[in-house]
Amino acid sequence: RIEIDARALPLARGLAEVAAALGRDPVELAATGGEDYELLVCAPGQLEGVTWIGVVGAGPPELRWLDAPPGAETWQGYLH
């Protein structure tokens, strides 16, 4: 199971203004936009200089958004 804290996602400079102009939540654009990205890693314990956005744990294969706006369960990134 993967749990991601939506409010912990880093927001690119200017994203809030773009989201407001589009009438969208900036966190949704950060999670699904795909143009601005950071590398995602899974690691035990703490690492210096890493932005922690969630946890991976035992359980059924699922993604749970924590502290996310309504509708987050339908978010999808770019499908390659």
Side-chain angles (χ1 to χ4, degrees):
R1 171 182 347 157
I2 298 173
E3 294 180 340
I4 299 177
D5 179 353
R7 300 294 167 191
L9 294 175
L11 301 181
R13 188 177 324 127
L15 181 62
E17 292 80 8
V18 171
L22 295 173
R24 305 277 295 276
D25 188 298
V27 174
E28 178 186 3
L29 292 181
T32 64
E35 290 302 318
D36 201 17
Y37 67 91
E38 294 191 21
L39 297 177
L40 177 66
V41 300
C42 291
Q46 298 293 321
L47 296 174
E48 292 286 325
V50 173
T51 301
W52 293 96
I53 63 167
V55 296
V56 176
E62 66 177 327
L63 171 61
R64 293 184 57 212
W65 285 100
L66 308 175
D67 199 18
E73 66 279 356
T74 65
W75 289 353
Q76 292 187 355
Y78 181 76
L79 300 177
H80 297 270

